[in-house]
Amino acid sequence: MPRDRQSVGLCVQCTHATRKPGKAGAAFWRCGRADTSDRFPRYPPLPVTACPGYEEGVPTTKGRR
């Protein structure tokens, strides 16, 4: 299993996720579903191993690279 998949979980392949790169190689994963539903935390605790809002796709990357 790839390192990101182990440490982040489902967000790595969720169309609603946004990866925000931080300093020193850190990254923050934001859930886009939190914008429309209180069921979803804006920044979920990682790794996410189960999520009712998960939809397979490609997450967005925003911010510094």
Short mmCIF file of all heavy atoms in Angstrom, two decimals:
data_model
loop_
_atom_site.label_atom_id
_atom_site.label_comp_id
_atom_site.label_asym_id
_atom_site.label_seq_id
_atom_site.Cartn_x
_atom_site.Cartn_y
_atom_site.Cartn_z
N MET A 1 0.85 -1.18 0.00
CA MET A 1 0.00 0.00 0.00
C MET A 1 0.90 1.25 0.00
O MET A 1 1.81 1.35 0.80
CB MET A 1 -0.88 -0.03 1.25
CG MET A 1 -1.81 1.14 1.36
SD MET A 1 -2.90 1.06 2.81
CE MET A 1 -3.96 -0.28 2.36
N PRO A 2 0.64 2.23 -0.88
CA PRO A 2 1.45 3.44 -0.91
C PRO A 2 1.41 4.18 0.43
O PRO A 2 0.43 4.12 1.15
CB PRO A 2 0.81 4.28 -2.01
CG PRO A 2 0.04 3.32 -2.84
CD PRO A 2 -0.37 2.21 -1.92
N ARG A 3 2.49 4.89 0.72
CA ARG A 3 2.62 5.60 1.98
C ARG A 3 1.46 6.58 2.23
O ARG A 3 0.90 6.62 3.32
CB ARG A 3 3.95 6.32 2.01
CG ARG A 3 4.24 6.96 3.32
CD ARG A 3 5.65 7.51 3.31
NE ARG A 3 5.79 8.44 4.39
CZ ARG A 3 6.60 9.46 4.39
NH1 ARG A 3 7.36 9.67 3.36
NH2 ARG A 3 6.68 10.26 5.41
N ASP A 4 1.09 7.39 1.22
CA ASP A 4 -0.02 8.34 1.39
C ASP A 4 -1.32 7.61 1.71
O ASP A 4 -2.09 8.07 2.53
CB ASP A 4 -0.23 9.17 0.13
CG ASP A 4 0.72 10.36 0.05
OD1 ASP A 4 1.40 10.64 1.05
OD2 ASP A 4 0.75 11.00 -1.01
N ARG A 5 -1.54 6.51 1.06
CA ARG A 5 -2.77 5.75 1.28
C ARG A 5 -2.84 5.25 2.73
O ARG A 5 -3.89 5.27 3.35
CB ARG A 5 -2.85 4.60 0.29
CG ARG A 5 -4.05 3.73 0.42
CD ARG A 5 -5.28 4.44 -0.07
NE ARG A 5 -6.37 3.48 -0.02
CZ ARG A 5 -7.60 3.76 -0.26
NH1 ARG A 5 -7.92 4.99 -0.60
NH2 ARG A 5 -8.53 2.86 -0.19
N GLN A 6 -1.71 4.83 3.28
CA GLN A 6 -1.67 4.34 4.65
C GLN A 6 -1.89 5.47 5.64
O GLN A 6 -2.61 5.31 6.61
CB GLN A 6 -0.33 3.67 4.95
CG GLN A 6 -0.16 2.34 4.27
CD GLN A 6 1.21 1.76 4.55
OE1 GLN A 6 2.14 2.45 4.93
NE2 GLN A 6 1.33 0.46 4.35
N SER A 7 -1.27 6.61 5.43
CA SER A 7 -1.34 7.69 6.40
C SER A 7 -2.57 8.59 6.23
O SER A 7 -3.00 9.23 7.19
CB SER A 7 -0.08 8.54 6.34
OG SER A 7 0.07 9.14 5.08
N VAL A 8 -3.14 8.64 5.04
CA VAL A 8 -4.29 9.52 4.77
C VAL A 8 -5.59 8.74 4.65
O VAL A 8 -6.63 9.19 5.10
CB VAL A 8 -4.04 10.37 3.50
CG1 VAL A 8 -5.24 11.22 3.17
CG2 VAL A 8 -2.80 11.22 3.67
N GLY A 9 -5.54 7.59 4.03
CA GLY A 9 -6.73 6.77 3.86
C GLY A 9 -7.51 7.12 2.60
O GLY A 9 -6.93 7.46 1.57
N LEU A 10 -8.82 7.10 2.70
CA LEU A 10 -9.70 7.26 1.55
C LEU A 10 -9.57 8.61 0.85
O LEU A 10 -9.81 8.70 -0.35
CB LEU A 10 -11.16 7.07 1.98
CG LEU A 10 -11.56 5.67 2.41
CD1 LEU A 10 -13.00 5.67 2.93
CD2 LEU A 10 -11.41 4.68 1.27
N CYS A 11 -9.20 9.64 1.57
CA CYS A 11 -9.11 10.99 0.97
C CYS A 11 -8.16 11.04 -0.22
O CYS A 11 -8.33 11.86 -1.12
CB CYS A 11 -8.68 12.01 2.02
SG CYS A 11 -9.84 12.18 3.38
N VAL A 12 -7.17 10.15 -0.24
CA VAL A 12 -6.19 10.12 -1.32
C VAL A 12 -6.86 9.89 -2.68
O VAL A 12 -6.36 10.33 -3.70
CB VAL A 12 -5.12 9.04 -1.05
CG1 VAL A 12 -4.25 8.78 -2.25
CG2 VAL A 12 -4.27 9.44 0.12
N GLN A 13 -8.01 9.22 -2.67
CA GLN A 13 -8.70 8.92 -3.93
C GLN A 13 -10.15 9.41 -3.92
O GLN A 13 -10.98 8.84 -4.60
CB GLN A 13 -8.68 7.42 -4.19
CG GLN A 13 -7.29 6.89 -4.44
CD GLN A 13 -7.29 5.41 -4.69
OE1 GLN A 13 -7.93 4.65 -3.97
NE2 GLN A 13 -6.60 4.99 -5.73
N CYS A 14 -10.45 10.47 -3.17
CA CYS A 14 -11.82 10.98 -3.10
C CYS A 14 -11.96 12.27 -3.89
O CYS A 14 -11.16 13.19 -3.74
CB CYS A 14 -12.24 11.22 -1.65
SG CYS A 14 -13.96 11.78 -1.51
N THR A 15 -12.98 12.33 -4.71
CA THR A 15 -13.21 13.51 -5.54
C THR A 15 -13.55 14.75 -4.71
O THR A 15 -13.38 15.87 -5.18
CB THR A 15 -14.32 13.21 -6.58
OG1 THR A 15 -14.34 14.23 -7.54
CG2 THR A 15 -15.67 13.06 -5.93
N HIS A 16 -13.99 14.58 -3.47
CA HIS A 16 -14.37 15.72 -2.62
C HIS A 16 -13.21 16.25 -1.78
O HIS A 16 -13.36 17.26 -1.10
CB HIS A 16 -15.52 15.31 -1.70
CG HIS A 16 -16.71 14.84 -2.45
ND1 HIS A 16 -17.51 15.69 -3.18
CD2 HIS A 16 -17.22 13.61 -2.62
CE1 HIS A 16 -18.48 15.00 -3.77
NE2 HIS A 16 -18.30 13.73 -3.44
N ALA A 17 -12.08 15.58 -1.81
CA ALA A 17 -10.93 15.98 -0.99
C ALA A 17 -10.10 17.04 -1.69
O ALA A 17 -10.00 17.09 -2.91
CB ALA A 17 -10.06 14.77 -0.69
N THR A 18 -9.50 17.90 -0.88
CA THR A 18 -8.55 18.88 -1.37
C THR A 18 -7.28 18.76 -0.53
O THR A 18 -7.33 18.79 0.69
CB THR A 18 -9.10 20.31 -1.23
OG1 THR A 18 -10.31 20.42 -1.97
CG2 THR A 18 -8.10 21.34 -1.74
N ARG A 19 -6.17 18.58 -1.20
CA ARG A 19 -4.88 18.49 -0.52
C ARG A 19 -4.24 19.86 -0.52
O ARG A 19 -4.06 20.48 -1.57
CB ARG A 19 -3.97 17.50 -1.24
CG ARG A 19 -2.63 17.32 -0.58
CD ARG A 19 -1.77 16.36 -1.39
NE ARG A 19 -0.51 16.10 -0.75
CZ ARG A 19 0.57 16.87 -0.86
NH1 ARG A 19 0.52 17.96 -1.60
NH2 ARG A 19 1.68 16.57 -0.22
N LYS A 20 -3.94 20.35 0.67
CA LYS A 20 -3.30 21.66 0.81
C LYS A 20 -1.89 21.44 1.36
O LYS A 20 -1.73 21.14 2.54
CB LYS A 20 -4.11 22.54 1.76
CG LYS A 20 -5.48 22.89 1.22
CD LYS A 20 -6.17 23.83 2.14
CE LYS A 20 -7.42 24.35 1.46
NZ LYS A 20 -7.95 25.51 2.13
N PRO A 21 -0.89 21.58 0.50
CA PRO A 21 0.49 21.39 0.95
C PRO A 21 0.88 22.43 1.99
O PRO A 21 0.49 23.59 1.91
CB PRO A 21 1.32 21.58 -0.32
CG PRO A 21 0.35 21.37 -1.44
CD PRO A 21 -0.97 21.83 -0.93
N GLY A 22 1.63 21.99 2.98
CA GLY A 22 2.12 22.89 4.03
C GLY A 22 3.63 22.95 4.00
O GLY A 22 4.26 22.52 3.03
N LYS A 23 4.19 23.45 5.06
CA LYS A 23 5.65 23.57 5.16
C LYS A 23 6.29 22.22 5.43
O LYS A 23 5.68 21.34 6.02
CB LYS A 23 6.01 24.53 6.27
CG LYS A 23 5.56 25.95 6.00
CD LYS A 23 5.94 26.85 7.13
CE LYS A 23 5.45 28.26 6.85
NZ LYS A 23 5.74 29.16 7.96
N ALA A 24 7.53 22.09 5.02
CA ALA A 24 8.36 20.90 5.30
C ALA A 24 7.72 19.60 4.87
O ALA A 24 7.81 18.58 5.55
CB ALA A 24 8.73 20.86 6.79
N GLY A 25 6.99 19.61 3.74
CA GLY A 25 6.43 18.39 3.21
C GLY A 25 5.12 17.95 3.84
O GLY A 25 4.54 16.96 3.42
N ALA A 26 4.64 18.67 4.82
CA ALA A 26 3.36 18.33 5.45
C ALA A 26 2.22 18.65 4.48
O ALA A 26 2.38 19.46 3.56
CB ALA A 26 3.17 19.11 6.74
N ALA A 27 1.09 18.02 4.68
CA ALA A 27 -0.09 18.31 3.86
C ALA A 27 -1.32 18.23 4.74
O ALA A 27 -1.38 17.47 5.70
CB ALA A 27 -0.20 17.33 2.71
N PHE A 28 -2.30 19.05 4.41
CA PHE A 28 -3.58 19.05 5.10
C PHE A 28 -4.64 18.60 4.11
O PHE A 28 -4.64 19.01 2.96
CB PHE A 28 -3.90 20.45 5.62
CG PHE A 28 -2.87 20.95 6.59
CD1 PHE A 28 -1.82 21.73 6.14
CD2 PHE A 28 -2.93 20.62 7.92
CE1 PHE A 28 -0.85 22.18 7.02
CE2 PHE A 28 -1.97 21.06 8.81
CZ PHE A 28 -0.93 21.85 8.36
N TRP A 29 -5.54 17.74 4.56
CA TRP A 29 -6.59 17.21 3.70
C TRP A 29 -7.92 17.78 4.15
O TRP A 29 -8.34 17.59 5.28
CB TRP A 29 -6.60 15.69 3.75
CG TRP A 29 -5.41 15.12 3.04
CD1 TRP A 29 -4.17 14.94 3.56
CD2 TRP A 29 -5.36 14.71 1.68
NE1 TRP A 29 -3.33 14.42 2.59
CE2 TRP A 29 -4.03 14.28 1.43
CE3 TRP A 29 -6.28 14.67 0.65
CZ2 TRP A 29 -3.63 13.80 0.18
CZ3 TRP A 29 -5.88 14.19 -0.59
CH2 TRP A 29 -4.57 13.77 -0.81
N ARG A 30 -8.59 18.49 3.25
CA ARG A 30 -9.86 19.14 3.54
C ARG A 30 -10.98 18.41 2.82
O ARG A 30 -10.85 18.04 1.65
CB ARG A 30 -9.83 20.59 3.09
CG ARG A 30 -11.06 21.36 3.47
CD ARG A 30 -10.96 22.80 2.98
NE ARG A 30 -12.05 23.60 3.45
CZ ARG A 30 -13.29 23.50 3.01
NH1 ARG A 30 -13.61 22.63 2.09
NH2 ARG A 30 -14.23 24.28 3.49
N CYS A 31 -12.10 18.23 3.51
CA CYS A 31 -13.26 17.56 2.92
C CYS A 31 -14.22 18.59 2.34
O CYS A 31 -14.76 19.43 3.07
CB CYS A 31 -13.98 16.71 3.97
SG CYS A 31 -15.43 15.87 3.29
N GLY A 32 -14.46 18.54 1.05
CA GLY A 32 -15.38 19.45 0.38
C GLY A 32 -16.83 19.22 0.77
O GLY A 32 -17.66 20.12 0.68
N ARG A 33 -17.16 18.03 1.23
CA ARG A 33 -18.53 17.74 1.67
C ARG A 33 -18.90 18.55 2.91
O ARG A 33 -20.06 18.78 3.18
CB ARG A 33 -18.68 16.26 1.96
CG ARG A 33 -18.61 15.42 0.71
CD ARG A 33 -19.88 14.69 0.56
NE ARG A 33 -19.81 13.80 -0.59
CZ ARG A 33 -20.88 13.33 -1.16
NH1 ARG A 33 -22.05 13.61 -0.70
NH2 ARG A 33 -20.77 12.54 -2.20
N ALA A 34 -17.90 18.99 3.68
CA ALA A 34 -18.15 19.79 4.88
C ALA A 34 -18.79 21.14 4.54
O ALA A 34 -19.42 21.76 5.39
CB ALA A 34 -16.85 20.01 5.65
N ASP A 35 -18.64 21.59 3.30
CA ASP A 35 -19.24 22.87 2.88
C ASP A 35 -20.77 22.81 2.84
O ASP A 35 -21.42 23.83 2.97
CB ASP A 35 -18.72 23.27 1.49
CG ASP A 35 -17.24 23.58 1.49
OD1 ASP A 35 -16.67 23.85 2.57
OD2 ASP A 35 -16.64 23.54 0.39
N THR A 36 -21.31 21.63 2.65
CA THR A 36 -22.77 21.49 2.50
C THR A 36 -23.43 20.63 3.56
O THR A 36 -24.65 20.54 3.59
CB THR A 36 -23.11 20.92 1.11
OG1 THR A 36 -22.46 19.66 0.95
CG2 THR A 36 -22.67 21.87 0.00
N SER A 37 -22.63 19.97 4.40
CA SER A 37 -23.20 19.10 5.42
C SER A 37 -22.35 19.08 6.69
O SER A 37 -21.14 18.91 6.62
CB SER A 37 -23.33 17.67 4.88
OG SER A 37 -23.79 16.80 5.90
N ASP A 38 -23.02 19.24 7.81
CA ASP A 38 -22.33 19.17 9.10
C ASP A 38 -21.92 17.75 9.46
O ASP A 38 -21.21 17.55 10.44
CB ASP A 38 -23.23 19.73 10.21
CG ASP A 38 -23.43 21.22 10.08
OD1 ASP A 38 -22.59 21.89 9.44
OD2 ASP A 38 -24.43 21.73 10.62
N ARG A 39 -22.35 16.77 8.70
CA ARG A 39 -21.97 15.37 8.94
C ARG A 39 -20.49 15.13 8.74
O ARG A 39 -19.93 14.17 9.25
CB ARG A 39 -22.70 14.44 7.96
CG ARG A 39 -24.13 14.19 8.25
CD ARG A 39 -24.73 13.28 7.21
NE ARG A 39 -24.09 11.97 7.18
CZ ARG A 39 -24.28 11.08 6.22
NH1 ARG A 39 -25.09 11.36 5.21
NH2 ARG A 39 -23.68 9.93 6.24
N PHE A 40 -19.87 15.99 7.94
CA PHE A 40 -18.47 15.78 7.56
C PHE A 40 -17.57 16.84 8.19
O PHE A 40 -17.83 18.03 8.07
CB PHE A 40 -18.33 15.82 6.04
CG PHE A 40 -19.19 14.82 5.35
CD1 PHE A 40 -20.44 15.18 4.84
CD2 PHE A 40 -18.79 13.50 5.23
CE1 PHE A 40 -21.25 14.24 4.23
CE2 PHE A 40 -19.60 12.56 4.62
CZ PHE A 40 -20.83 12.94 4.12
N PRO A 41 -16.49 16.41 8.85
CA PRO A 41 -15.55 17.38 9.42
C PRO A 41 -14.74 18.04 8.31
O PRO A 41 -14.38 17.40 7.32
CB PRO A 41 -14.65 16.54 10.32
CG PRO A 41 -14.75 15.15 9.78
CD PRO A 41 -16.11 15.03 9.15
N ARG A 42 -14.48 19.33 8.46
CA ARG A 42 -13.72 20.06 7.43
C ARG A 42 -12.32 19.44 7.24
O ARG A 42 -11.88 19.25 6.12
CB ARG A 42 -13.59 21.53 7.84
CG ARG A 42 -12.91 22.35 6.76
CD ARG A 42 -13.11 23.83 6.97
NE ARG A 42 -14.44 24.16 6.49
CZ ARG A 42 -15.32 24.89 7.17
NH1 ARG A 42 -15.03 25.39 8.33
NH2 ARG A 42 -16.50 25.14 6.66
N TYR A 43 -11.64 19.15 8.34
CA TYR A 43 -10.33 18.49 8.30
C TYR A 43 -10.43 17.22 9.13
O TYR A 43 -10.23 17.25 10.34
CB TYR A 43 -9.23 19.41 8.84
CG TYR A 43 -8.98 20.59 7.93
CD1 TYR A 43 -9.62 21.80 8.14
CD2 TYR A 43 -8.11 20.48 6.85
CE1 TYR A 43 -9.40 22.88 7.29
CE2 TYR A 43 -7.89 21.55 5.99
CZ TYR A 43 -8.54 22.75 6.22
OH TYR A 43 -8.32 23.81 5.38
N PRO A 44 -10.78 16.10 8.50
CA PRO A 44 -11.01 14.85 9.25
C PRO A 44 -9.72 14.29 9.84
O PRO A 44 -8.64 14.48 9.29
CB PRO A 44 -11.57 13.90 8.19
CG PRO A 44 -11.05 14.41 6.90
CD PRO A 44 -10.95 15.91 7.05
N PRO A 45 -9.85 13.60 10.98
CA PRO A 45 -8.68 12.92 11.53
C PRO A 45 -8.22 11.82 10.58
O PRO A 45 -9.05 11.09 10.03
CB PRO A 45 -9.17 12.34 12.85
CG PRO A 45 -10.62 12.60 12.94
CD PRO A 45 -11.04 13.43 11.78
N LEU A 46 -6.94 11.75 10.36
CA LEU A 46 -6.39 10.78 9.41
C LEU A 46 -5.77 9.60 10.14
O LEU A 46 -5.28 9.76 11.25
CB LEU A 46 -5.32 11.47 8.54
CG LEU A 46 -5.81 12.68 7.76
CD1 LEU A 46 -4.64 13.31 7.02
CD2 LEU A 46 -6.93 12.33 6.81
N PRO A 47 -5.79 8.45 9.55
CA PRO A 47 -6.32 8.09 8.24
C PRO A 47 -7.84 7.89 8.28
O PRO A 47 -8.40 7.44 9.28
CB PRO A 47 -5.63 6.77 7.92
CG PRO A 47 -5.40 6.13 9.25
CD PRO A 47 -5.13 7.28 10.19
N VAL A 48 -8.48 8.25 7.19
CA VAL A 48 -9.92 8.04 7.05
C VAL A 48 -10.09 6.63 6.48
O VAL A 48 -9.67 6.35 5.36
CB VAL A 48 -10.55 9.09 6.11
CG1 VAL A 48 -12.01 8.76 5.85
CG2 VAL A 48 -10.40 10.48 6.69
N THR A 49 -10.68 5.75 7.27
CA THR A 49 -10.84 4.35 6.84
C THR A 49 -12.25 4.02 6.39
O THR A 49 -12.47 3.02 5.73
CB THR A 49 -10.43 3.38 7.97
OG1 THR A 49 -11.23 3.66 9.12
CG2 THR A 49 -8.96 3.55 8.32
N ALA A 50 -13.21 4.89 6.74
CA ALA A 50 -14.60 4.72 6.30
C ALA A 50 -15.23 6.10 6.22
O ALA A 50 -15.00 6.94 7.09
CB ALA A 50 -15.37 3.84 7.27
N CYS A 51 -16.01 6.34 5.17
CA CYS A 51 -16.67 7.64 5.01
C CYS A 51 -17.91 7.47 4.15
O CYS A 51 -17.82 6.97 3.02
CB CYS A 51 -15.71 8.62 4.35
SG CYS A 51 -16.47 10.25 4.08
N PRO A 52 -19.09 7.89 4.65
CA PRO A 52 -20.31 7.75 3.86
C PRO A 52 -20.34 8.67 2.64
O PRO A 52 -21.11 8.45 1.72
CB PRO A 52 -21.42 8.11 4.84
CG PRO A 52 -20.76 8.96 5.87
CD PRO A 52 -19.34 8.48 5.96
N GLY A 53 -19.48 9.69 2.60
CA GLY A 53 -19.46 10.61 1.48
C GLY A 53 -18.39 10.32 0.45
O GLY A 53 -18.25 11.04 -0.54
N TYR A 54 -17.64 9.25 0.65
CA TYR A 54 -16.54 8.92 -0.26
C TYR A 54 -17.05 8.64 -1.67
O TYR A 54 -18.00 7.90 -1.87
CB TYR A 54 -15.78 7.69 0.26
CG TYR A 54 -14.76 7.16 -0.72
CD1 TYR A 54 -13.54 7.78 -0.88
CD2 TYR A 54 -15.03 6.03 -1.49
CE1 TYR A 54 -12.60 7.29 -1.77
CE2 TYR A 54 -14.10 5.53 -2.38
CZ TYR A 54 -12.89 6.17 -2.52
OH TYR A 54 -11.96 5.69 -3.40
N GLU A 55 -16.40 9.28 -2.65
CA GLU A 55 -16.64 8.98 -4.06
C GLU A 55 -15.28 8.93 -4.74
O GLU A 55 -14.53 9.91 -4.71
CB GLU A 55 -17.50 10.06 -4.73
CG GLU A 55 -18.95 10.03 -4.28
CD GLU A 55 -19.80 11.03 -5.04
OE1 GLU A 55 -19.57 11.23 -6.25
OE2 GLU A 55 -20.67 11.63 -4.40
N GLU A 56 -14.98 7.79 -5.32
CA GLU A 56 -13.67 7.62 -5.95
C GLU A 56 -13.46 8.65 -7.04
O GLU A 56 -14.36 8.95 -7.83
CB GLU A 56 -13.54 6.22 -6.54
CG GLU A 56 -12.13 5.93 -7.01
CD GLU A 56 -11.93 4.48 -7.40
OE1 GLU A 56 -12.72 3.63 -7.00
OE2 GLU A 56 -10.96 4.23 -8.13
N GLY A 57 -12.29 9.22 -7.05
CA GLY A 57 -11.94 10.23 -8.03
C GLY A 57 -10.56 10.79 -7.73
O GLY A 57 -9.79 10.19 -6.98
N VAL A 58 -10.29 11.95 -8.26
CA VAL A 58 -9.00 12.59 -8.08
C VAL A 58 -9.18 13.81 -7.19
O VAL A 58 -9.97 14.70 -7.51
CB VAL A 58 -8.40 13.02 -9.44
CG1 VAL A 58 -7.08 13.74 -9.26
CG2 VAL A 58 -8.25 11.81 -10.35
N PRO A 59 -8.47 13.87 -6.06
CA PRO A 59 -8.58 15.04 -5.20
C PRO A 59 -7.95 16.27 -5.85
O PRO A 59 -7.14 16.16 -6.76
CB PRO A 59 -7.82 14.65 -3.93
CG PRO A 59 -7.00 13.47 -4.29
CD PRO A 59 -7.58 12.86 -5.51
N THR A 60 -8.34 17.45 -5.38
CA THR A 60 -7.79 18.71 -5.85
C THR A 60 -6.55 19.05 -5.02
O THR A 60 -6.51 18.72 -3.84
CB THR A 60 -8.84 19.82 -5.67
OG1 THR A 60 -10.03 19.44 -6.34
CG2 THR A 60 -8.35 21.14 -6.20
N THR A 61 -5.59 19.70 -5.62
CA THR A 61 -4.42 20.21 -4.88
C THR A 61 -4.43 21.72 -5.01
O THR A 61 -4.53 22.26 -6.10
CB THR A 61 -3.11 19.64 -5.44
OG1 THR A 61 -3.14 18.22 -5.32
CG2 THR A 61 -1.92 20.17 -4.67
N LYS A 62 -4.37 22.40 -3.85
CA LYS A 62 -4.34 23.86 -3.84
C LYS A 62 -3.19 24.36 -3.00
O LYS A 62 -2.74 23.68 -2.09
CB LYS A 62 -5.65 24.40 -3.27
CG LYS A 62 -6.83 24.17 -4.14
CD LYS A 62 -8.05 24.86 -3.60
CE LYS A 62 -9.23 24.65 -4.53
NZ LYS A 62 -10.43 25.24 -4.03
N GLY A 63 -2.74 25.56 -3.29
CA GLY A 63 -1.72 26.17 -2.45
C GLY A 63 -0.32 25.94 -2.97
O GLY A 63 -0.11 25.64 -4.13
N ARG A 64 0.62 26.03 -2.04
CA ARG A 64 2.03 25.92 -2.43
C ARG A 64 2.36 24.50 -2.86
O ARG A 64 1.71 23.55 -2.49
CB ARG A 64 2.93 26.38 -1.29
CG ARG A 64 3.10 25.43 -0.21
CD ARG A 64 3.99 25.95 0.87
NE ARG A 64 3.20 26.82 1.73
CZ ARG A 64 3.70 27.58 2.66
NH1 ARG A 64 4.96 27.58 2.89
NH2 ARG A 64 2.93 28.34 3.40
N ARG A 65 3.37 24.38 -3.67
CA ARG A 65 3.79 23.07 -4.18
C ARG A 65 5.20 22.79 -3.78
O ARG A 65 6.01 23.55 -3.61
CB ARG A 65 3.68 23.04 -5.69
CG ARG A 65 2.23 23.10 -6.09
CD ARG A 65 2.11 22.82 -7.57
NE ARG A 65 0.71 22.87 -7.89
CZ ARG A 65 0.06 21.92 -8.48
NH1 ARG A 65 0.67 20.84 -8.82
NH2 ARG A 65 -1.21 22.03 -8.74
#
